[in-house]
Amino acid sequence: MDTYSVIPIRFTLNGDKVSIEAGAHETALTVIRERLSLKGTKEGCGMGECGACTILVDGKSVNACLMAAPQLEGRTVMTVEGLGREGKLHPLQEAFLEHHGVQCGFCTPGLLMSAQSLILETPRPTHKQVVEAISGNLCRCTGYQQIVDAIQYGADKTGGEE
Ligand code: FES
Ligand code: FES
């Protein structure tokens, strides 16, 4: 199969079944942002260093810019659009607002997804666990303390809610 083959992919995205054809050379980020128009997942570095593109794949945080689109086959994916519900923010999102964890907001979707991955595994994370969980997410604005506080507060509010 050559590098530019088109491959049918079926996966679950934010609770909906998705069926799409993607090039073997495409990334999950391209499919999600450009092909499926979910712009909440950001493209920063494009090389696995900033965390802006973080999504959940089967509940684990993944850099979508490093994941080949065909690897989405059969997986359950959540982007930031799947975190809240219509008209209701997820407790983590509320916590980011309440604790001033958002300034320009570019890093926020990725941070939320890293935080959600952590909380799914560890509903009451320690400060150290939060810091480790977001160590791959760069923020140029906040200094991180508000973000860490927001995640711990959001974890208390969710108790592991999906
Ligand atoms: S855009 Fe994926 S890690 Fe930076
Ligand atoms: S809030 Fe601006 S990069 Fe994090």
Side-chain angles (χ1 to χ4, degrees), residues 101-108 111 138-142 147:
V102 179
Q103 286 187 23
C104 81
F106 188 80
C107 66
T108 308
L111 279 160
L138 300 185
C139 175
R140 293 173 296 180
C141 306
T142 66
I147 292 170

Side-chain angles (χ1 to χ4, degrees), residues 77-139:
V77 176
M78 181 191 281
T79 67
V80 72
E81 288 88 350
L83 201 53
R85 299 195 189 93
E86 190 72 35
K88 181 164 176 18
L89 293 177
H90 185 277
L92 271 174
Q93 293 170 313
E94 289 176 346
F96 268 65
L97 291 176
E98 289 167 17
H99 287 261
H100 309 289
V102 179
Q103 286 187 23
C104 81
F106 188 80
C107 66
T108 308
L111 279 160
L112 286 166
M113 302 319 287
S114 291
Q116 177 67 353
S117 174
L118 170 67
I119 290 171
L120 288 174
E121 200 170 291
T122 309
R124 296 281 186 273
T126 62
H127 181 276
K128 184 164 179 273
Q129 286 171 319
V130 172
V131 170
E132 280 171 6
I134 63 167
S135 62
N137 295 86
L138 300 185
C139 175

Side-chain angles (χ1 to χ4, degrees), residues 29 42-53 63-66:
L29 179 59
K42 305 301 184 198
E43 178 162 17
C45 65
M47 52 202 300
E49 293 181 355
C50 74
C53 65
N63 287 332
C65 70
L66 295 183

